[in-house]
Every structure is written in structure tokens, then in C-alpha cells.
Amino acid sequence: MILKNSNVYYQSPSVTISYHEEQEIGLSVWNSPVGSHEVREAVLLICHTIERFGLTRWLSDTRNLRAFQEQDRQWTMEHIAPSLLSGALRKVAVLLPPDRENSAQTNHILHQLPEVRQYLLIQDFYEPQEALAWLLQESLQPQP
């Protein structure tokens, strides 16, 4: 497990969402390609977890995920992103598949929001420990 001593908040065959309250960090591990209903349910649960526990850091493990369908991307950007960007979250690390072609297809939804860098520090990684180390660094403020 990437995030030791974490609490599992939600688990399905497609995604596992966990958090570590003391470190204010959450984790979503996408286990397989997902359908529209699963995407939306998981995204809502991720947002709820962030809000409920005041999480400032998030690690999104997309190594086993294929790109979301366009309607799911659009739904997330319209309905979820505004509240996500105005909440406690400040840093997001995205674990990408080692296959760079698939990485381009996975392109995290947050990368598509023009204003994201005003509110969040977001960075892509290929190694879980590098992503976690970056998240746990003190800086939580985007640089202008």
C-alpha cells in the first residue's frame, strides 16, 4: 500500500479511496477501466472524503486507468471542479502508467482546468514513493 496506516473510506473492484487524517492526505487507486456510473460515483466520493476530513493533499493512482469518456470529463469539470478548487485541497500528485502513450490518454481532469494552477499544486509522477515524498513536503501554496 502506498499510504501506510490509512483508513479505507470506499472500496469497489474499480477504485479504492483511502485517507490519512493526521497527514491530511487522501489516495484514490483506480484498479481497472471504469464505466460512466463508476467514474461519477468515485469522483463524488473523492470530493466528499476531501471535504469531510479537511484533506489538503491527494494522490491519484491512475496507473491502471484508461481515459475517462468525454461526457464524464465534462461532467466532472462542470459539477465537481469548482467546489474542489475552492476547498481545502492544495496539492495533487498523479501517478501515471509507465507507458507514456497511455499516460497521454489518462491526462488527469485537473490538468484540463485553466485556473487549476491558481489553487493547486499538481504534478505527475511515475514512482509512488516520489509522489508521496513530494506531497508530504511542506509547501502547500501554488507559485504565481
Side-chain angles (χ1 to χ4, degrees):
M1 179 176 269
I2 298 170
L3 190 56
K4 295 178 181 168
N5 301 318
S6 63
N7 300 300
V8 174
Y9 187 72
Y10 174 80
Q11 189 166 19
S12 75
S14 303
V15 66
T16 300
I17 299 169
S18 56
Y19 67 96
H20 191 288
E21 199 166 3
E22 288 178 20
Q23 291 182 320
E24 298 179 343
I25 189 170
L27 170 67
S28 53
V29 178
W30 298 88
N31 301 313
S32 63
V34 291
S36 198
H37 174 75
E38 295 165 300
V39 167
R40 294 176 187 206
E41 181 181 43
V43 169
L44 286 169
L45 286 164
I46 287 168
C47 290
H48 179 73
T49 305
I50 291 167
E51 184 179 315
R52 180 173 181 188
F53 300 104
L55 304 178
T56 58
R57 299 165 171 91
W58 195 268
L59 177 54
S60 183
D61 185 346
T62 65
R63 293 178 291 177
N64 294 315
L65 181 66
R66 297 290 182 238
F68 288 170
Q69 294 180 9
E70 184 56 35
Q71 68 264 21
D72 296 325
R73 287 177 187 254
Q74 196 63 35
W75 176 85
T76 301
M77 292 190 320
E78 289 174 12
H79 299 286
I80 301 301
S83 63
L84 188 63
L85 294 177
S86 65
L89 190 65
R90 292 294 169 253
K91 286 178 96 169
V92 177
V94 181
L95 276 174
L96 298 174
D99 174 4
R100 294 195 188 271
E101 181 178 313
N102 191 32
S103 295
Q105 293 174 3
T106 304
N107 194 9
H108 200 276
I109 288 173
L110 291 177
H111 286 301
Q112 298 175 18
L113 299 171
E115 68 276 9
V116 74
R117 301 251 181 236
Q118 296 173 17
Y119 302 97
L120 297 175
L121 293 171
I122 183 168
Q123 192 161 327
D124 296 335
F125 295 90
Y126 294 98
E127 296 297 327
Q129 295 311 322
E130 288 179 28
L132 190 57
W134 178 78
L135 279 172
L136 294 174
Q137 290 173 351
E138 288 302 312
S139 175
L140 289 175
Q141 298 301 317
Q143 302 300 316

